[in-house]
Amino acid sequence: MSVLEIRNLHATVEDREILKGVNLTLRSGEIHALMGPNGSGKSTLAYVIAGHPHYEITDGDILIDGESILEMEPDERTKAGVFLAFQYPVAVPGVSVANFLRTAVSNVRGYTTRPVEAEGRSGVIGSNLMPMREFRRELTDKMKEFNVDPSFARRYLNDGFSGGEKKRTEVLQMAMLEPKFGILDESDSGLDIDALRVVSDGINKLATPDRGFLLITHYQRILNYVKPNYVSIFYGGRVVMTGGPEVAHMLEEKGYGWVEREFGEAVAA
Amino acid sequence: MSVLVKEPEAIMQSVQGFSEDTVRAHSAARNEPAWMLEFRLDAWRQFETMPWPSANDEAWRRTRLTGFDIANFKPLAVSSGTVEKAELSRLLQEEINEMDSAASMVFEDSSLRYSVFHAKLSECGVIFADLQSAVREHPDLVQKYFMTKAVKPGLNKFTALHAALWDTGTFVYVPAKARVTLPLQVILNQVSDGVGGYHHTLVVTEEGAEVTVVDDLLGAKDGMQASVVELVIGNSSVVRYMNLQDFDHSAWNFLTGRAVLGRDADLRWIQVSWGSRLTKAFLDVDLQGTGGHAELLGIYFPIGHQHIDHQTLQIHRAPHCFSDLLFNGALKDKSRSVYMGVIQVFPGAQKTDAYQRNGNLILDATARADSIPGLEIQADDVRCTHAATAAQVEEEYVFYLMARGLSRAQAERMIVQGFFQAVLDRVPVESVVHKLERVIERKIGG
Ligand SMILES: Nc1ncnc2c1ncn2[C@@H]1O[C@H](COP(=O)(O)OP(=O)(O)O)[C@@H](O)[C@H]1O
Ligand SMILES: [Mg+2]
């Protein structure tokens, strides 16, 4: 059982404050939906949790099981159990999904830091990576399970992938890296109904009691497939309301215009 | 052969400096026919009358020969006879073992050191010979094609020098319809320090013939190499050529290469420039027949103070031809690269389809890449595009990979490898791909 805690988090980009005191707690086994209008700072929050160097934290803290992660590099946060599924995954030319994922998995599972093995097979390139066969087998199995075509292993990361293919590959990567906390930034946006179902199925498969999800979304639609325990409304760089699934329904009914009317002044102040 | 072993040594030991006498002695030591001596002497005279490149020449404006003095080199290395494979250096043996090739030749210094052939090659009428023997054994073919169709002696100062003093070389002849599926492997190792070397590659294919040739160039410590590559590609013939230059970082390297393509001919040329202190390479594809298809793909990765210059020409003389050029280079430390390229479309070469791209990945702020693309188009129904980029490692890529658990160093390494992948993906020989990957790995590391 783990806890990801965001306390009074303030962050700026190029001297503009985007996050204005975010408070949120996510526990293993929970799915917490974070809903908010475009430009409210949802992706900024996701990036800041993952440690993007572009943002400056001016106040507050992010903790995993009581330990601050703010001083950690992005890869250390990933090893500590954080996974960010990007809203807009970048295409990295010439880097194949299988190639980079083998290194990623090897790091996260500690293969690369096992000194004995590295010594025993010194000089062999890749000797401290997860064994190729083992990795291949697991990747093939998970590609099948998460509905990603096997050909994607050799394709270059997000290069020429459709929107749906990108989001599915993000879920596949999450399945391989087995994080404690998945921060899913609009994993539903731009998907047709079939792709949405595939991505939702993937998330549900991964929603085990030892894992928590922050499900960032603009629309209520994905919540028909992935059932949240909590729903928070994010507006103007902070959480303005938290409740159960009924909050999503209310939002669906009243729209973001209502949020603006209700919380606009509070945030502007 | 035995006559040739002792005597040339004696002749060449007496050679001093670059002179007509040296040219005569070199030819005599190799028992060459009169026509070849005449050819050499004529080239020597051209060499003598041509000025050295100066900063006023557009081709040499960004690549200065500061510190280069031909008097600092011995004009020729002394040849040392052939040996068994086991007597070759470990490195060369590995190079031979790693490639699944149809035949191999190893040159060290100025002569053939070792060769191995599959008997089937000659049954098909394929010639894969060292040029020195070919001059005697296939005089008609050599006289017809050697520096007559693709690279003429007077093209530049270094081709003239090469024509006068060429020492090692390969002659490949593939008759009509013959297909050599495995690569022909050639290794040149310039072993002696401080000498001049003049390696020649002459590939001639007839109609419908297919062949893959790999040139591996090594050594040349404190030396100079003025090489020439000639590919004369027949109608509907398919040629894959790889020039893998990995000279010592003290070597001066001058390469002039040109491929001449017949109707519907298909060429892929992979140019790799890893080594040398300075490289100036002129690389041309000359599409002379309708429907020709030429790919010219290059990679380079200068580090330290290396200076690597590629100058390319895509000549479209005939209609309906396609040419695709891609040169990608990464630069470290205080290294420098120059890329100059022109797509030339002659009047009447309608429906030309030509691409030219040069990408540079700058890994240190102290490195510098110049890219000068150009178009000279004299036909109106053509499609030509060119693009040049110089960029640092993209921080968003680094973040993405780090967010997946890669360290910064691992992420950057992978991005640099990935940058070369567009060319590596098109290298048709697997063992070559692995070798190139290892060098890239090494160059990134240190
Ligand atoms: N890297 C950045 N540089 C400049 N402005 C940024 C950057 N990232 C986010 N912003 C700004 O922060 C605000 C919130 O953006 P974002 O976090 O993407 O919102 P959301 O994901 O809720 O749509 C926007 O006004 C956006 O322009
Ligand atoms: Mg967003």
Side-chain angles (χ1 to χ4, degrees):
Chain A
M1 164 81 185
S2 282
V3 188
L4 174 71
E5 212 183 335
I6 298 161
R7 277 193 205 151
N8 187 34
L9 190 68
H10 290 256
T12 60
V13 63
E14 285 149 16
D15 292 330
R16 208 179 113 212
E17 185 163 61
I18 309 292
L19 301 185
K20 301 172 179 172
V22 182
N23 286 294
L24 194 146
T25 301
L26 179 66
R27 292 181 186 78
S28 310
E30 289 177 3
I31 296 177
H32 193 138
L34 190 71
M35 305 183 70
N38 283 330
S40 58
K42 303 183 298 296
S43 290
T44 301
L45 176 64
Y47 274 138
V48 166
I49 296 170
H52 196 292
H54 204 67
Y55 302 90
E56 195 190 338
I57 313 297
T58 49
D59 201 3
D61 209 344
I62 306 172
L63 310 116
I64 293 180
D65 299 331
E67 300 275 339
S68 173
I69 62 167
L70 286 187
E71 294 303 313
M72 292 183 178
E73 291 292 317
D75 57 320
E76 294 170 317
R77 298 183 192 204
T78 305
K79 285 179 218 164
V82 175
F83 179 93
L84 167 62
F86 286 70
Q87 181 177 3
Y88 303 110
V90 292
V92 188
V95 173
S96 78
V97 170
N99 186 18
F100 109 92
L101 207 47
R102 183 169 168 225
T103 309
V105 168
S106 300
N107 280 359
V108 168
R109 296 190 194 170
Y111 284 92
T112 36
T113 49
R114 282 177 207 173
V116 187
E117 251 179 273
E119 243 174 66
R121 285 182 264 167
S122 64
V124 184
I125 295 170
S127 63
N128 51 359
L129 294 179
M130 180 175 177
M132 191 51 129
R133 272 162 167 254
E134 216 176 293
F135 171 76
R136 283 269 170 210
R137 193 174 311 133
E138 184 175 332
L139 182 62
T140 309
D141 288 350
K142 289 202 167 143
M143 288 182 112
K144 194 179 278 177
E145 189 179 351
F146 291 90
N147 260 296
V148 176
D149 191 87
S151 67
F152 276 65
R154 270 184 289 115
R155 285 183 62 178
Y156 298 137
L157 198 50
N158 298 317
D159 199 4
F161 289 20
S162 71
E165 289 165 347
K166 283 182 190 169
K167 302 276 157 117
R168 262 189 271 174
T169 309
E170 294 287 291
V171 174
L172 170 74
Q173 294 183 44
M174 181 162 66
M176 291 296 290
L177 291 169
E178 300 170 322
K180 286 185 198 159
F181 298 103
I183 315 298
L184 311 181
D185 191 3
E186 301 211 18
S187 294
D188 55 333
S189 67
L191 301 186
D192 63 28
I193 199 75
D194 293 330
L196 179 64
R197 198 165 276 147
V198 170
V199 166
S200 305
D201 283 352
I203 295 168
N204 285 330
K205 274 181 194 159
L206 292 169
T208 48
D210 57 351
R211 184 169 296 138
F213 282 117
L214 187 63
L215 189 63
I216 298 173
T217 180
H218 184 78
Y219 302 103
Q220 195 270 339
R221 191 175 67 144
I222 192 174
L223 304 183
N224 296 330
Y225 301 91
V226 181
K227 296 292 171 201
N229 307 92
Y230 301 100
V231 177
S232 286
I233 298 176
F234 199 79
Y235 183 72
R238 69 175 79 149
V239 175
V240 292
M241 184 184 206
T242 299
E246 74 283 355
V247 173
H249 296 299
M250 184 187 68
L251 201 55
E252 172 89 339
E253 236 167 73
K254 299 188 174 174
Y256 284 119
W258 170 80
V259 176
E260 195 176 338
R261 284 190 299 276
E262 195 77 358
F263 301 102
E265 269 171 44
V267 168
Chain B
M1 283 299 277
S2 59
V3 200
L4 283 176
V5 176
K6 204 106 223 128
E7 238 186 308
E9 273 181 34
I11 298 172
M12 293 314 296
Q13 298 287 13
S14 66
V15 155
Q16 306 286 322
F18 290 82
S19 68
E20 188 180 313
D21 286 346
T22 299
V23 177
R24 286 183 187 281
H26 183 46
S27 185
R30 296 156 74 99
N31 248 347
E32 284 179 350
W35 65 265
M36 184 50 88
L37 174 62
E38 279 314 310
F39 180 92
R40 288 183 183 277
L41 290 173
D42 186 51
W44 177 255
R45 280 171 218 126
Q46 291 188 58
F47 171 75
E48 283 200 308
T49 58
M50 293 166 91
W52 285 102
S54 81
N56 298 328
D57 307 335
E58 181 57 24
W60 295 89
R61 229 155 58 81
R62 294 164 190 85
T63 296
R64 308 285 173 88
L65 294 180
T66 315
F68 176 81
D69 182 353
I70 197 161
N72 291 338
F73 308 104
K74 275 183 256 140
L76 287 154
V78 175
S79 61
S80 41
T82 57
V83 295
E84 293 301 313
K85 186 170 163 189
E87 293 168 68
L88 293 171
S89 72
R90 270 268 294 282
L91 176 83
L92 295 185
Q93 290 187 47
E94 274 169 23
E95 294 266 345
I96 295 167
N97 293 341
E98 267 172 31
M99 191 183 295
D100 191 9
S101 62
S104 302
M105 282 199 282
V106 176
F107 296 94
E108 287 201 309
D109 282 337
S110 62
S111 64
L112 182 69
R113 209 58 180 133
Y114 168 78
S115 57
V116 58
F117 304 92
H118 282 212
K120 259 180 65 187
L121 277 181
S122 44
E123 280 169 28
C124 307
V126 174
I127 300 170
F128 177 60
D130 80 287
L131 195 54
Q132 188 178 346
S133 314
V135 166
R136 272 178 273 112
E137 287 158 26
H138 308 282
D140 294 349
L141 282 172
V142 174
Q143 215 165 348
K144 182 173 174 191
Y145 291 107
F146 180 72
M147 300 196 84
T148 58
K149 303 267 190 253
V151 178
K152 296 203 171 107
L155 197 59
N156 63 51
K157 183 88 172 167
F158 292 100
T159 54
L161 181 67
H162 173 98
L165 287 174
W166 70 269
D167 52 359
T168 58
T170 312
F171 178 54
V172 177
Y173 177 81
V174 189
K177 305 279 185 294
R179 294 171 57 189
V180 188
T181 45
L182 291 175
L184 301 174
Q185 179 184 33
V186 181
I187 302 172
L188 166 73
N189 186 17
Q190 198 167 314
V191 184
S192 299
D193 294 356
V195 300
Y198 319 88
H199 186 68
H200 197 94
T201 303
L202 173 57
V203 177
V204 178
T205 62
E206 301 285 5
E207 176 140 13
E210 291 187 26
V211 70
T212 299
V213 179
V214 184
D215 264 330
D216 246 308
L217 307 162
L218 307 165
K221 186 163 185 292
D222 298 324
M224 166 188 56
Q225 173 63 232
S227 58
V228 167
V229 175
E230 300 187 279
L231 311 179
V232 183
I233 306 172
N235 295 340
S236 306
S237 164
V238 180
V239 172
R240 301 286 175 256
Y241 175 68
M242 278 148 272
N243 186 284
L244 316 177
Q245 185 270 107
D246 199 5
F247 285 131
D248 190 272
H249 287 200
S250 59
W252 298 86
N253 177 44
F254 308 99
L255 160 64
T256 303
R258 180 177 278 203
V260 180
L261 287 84
R263 181 174 38 78
D264 296 323
D266 180 342
L267 164 71
R268 186 182 299 170
W269 178 323
I270 313 275
Q271 181 63 43
V272 175
S273 298
W274 294 148
S276 79
R277 79 183 262 177
L278 177 143
T279 284
K280 175 75 196 185
F282 297 93
L283 303 169
D284 308 343
V285 292
D286 188 350
L287 293 144
Q288 299 190 343
T290 306
H293 177 115
E295 296 170 48
L296 184 49
L297 311 169
I299 48 179
Y300 49 95
F301 195 160
I303 62 176
H305 285 88
Q306 282 186 285
H307 180 116
I308 304 291
D309 178 335
H310 293 103
Q311 184 166 345
T312 65
L313 197 51
Q314 292 155 268
I315 310 168
H316 285 257
R317 287 183 212 274
H320 295 283
C321 287
F322 170 87
S323 73
D324 182 16
L325 179 143
L326 173 62
F327 271 66
N328 273 356
L331 296 95
K332 259 176 67 165
D333 309 321
K334 291 191 166 169
S335 68
R336 175 110 197 254
S337 74
V338 179
Y339 171 77
M340 293 172 74
V342 172
I343 298 174
Q344 212 171 43
V345 182
F346 279 63
Q350 302 297 6
K351 304 288 180 195
T352 285
D353 204 355
Y355 299 85
Q356 183 196 89
R357 278 168 298 159
N358 173 227
N360 293 286
L361 191 57
I362 315 288
L363 302 179
D364 289 305
T366 44
R368 182 173 152 193
D370 287 335
S371 197
I372 305 103
L375 300 174
E376 293 170 14
I377 298 175
Q378 301 178 62
D380 50 23
D381 187 11
V382 303
R383 189 165 69 178
C384 296
T385 62
H386 60 76
T389 56
Q392 282 148 322
V393 170
E394 184 67 62
E395 274 302 318
E396 289 305 317
Y397 299 172
V398 175
F399 176 67
Y400 185 95
L401 297 178
M402 286 182 79
R404 295 297 176 258
L406 272 66
S407 67
R408 174 167 286 273
Q410 285 173 328
E412 286 176 350
R413 182 173 291 261
M414 217 159 251
I415 291 162
V416 177
Q417 292 266 14
F419 170 74
F420 285 109
Q421 203 61 42
V423 172
L424 294 183
D425 278 344
R426 290 158 79 178
V427 173
V429 180
E430 206 182 326
S431 66
V432 171
V433 177
H434 291 153
K435 185 163 87 160
L436 299 178
E437 282 172 347
R438 286 199 299 274
V439 176
I440 293 168
E441 180 100 18
R442 194 182 75 211
K443 287 214 171 215
I444 297 171

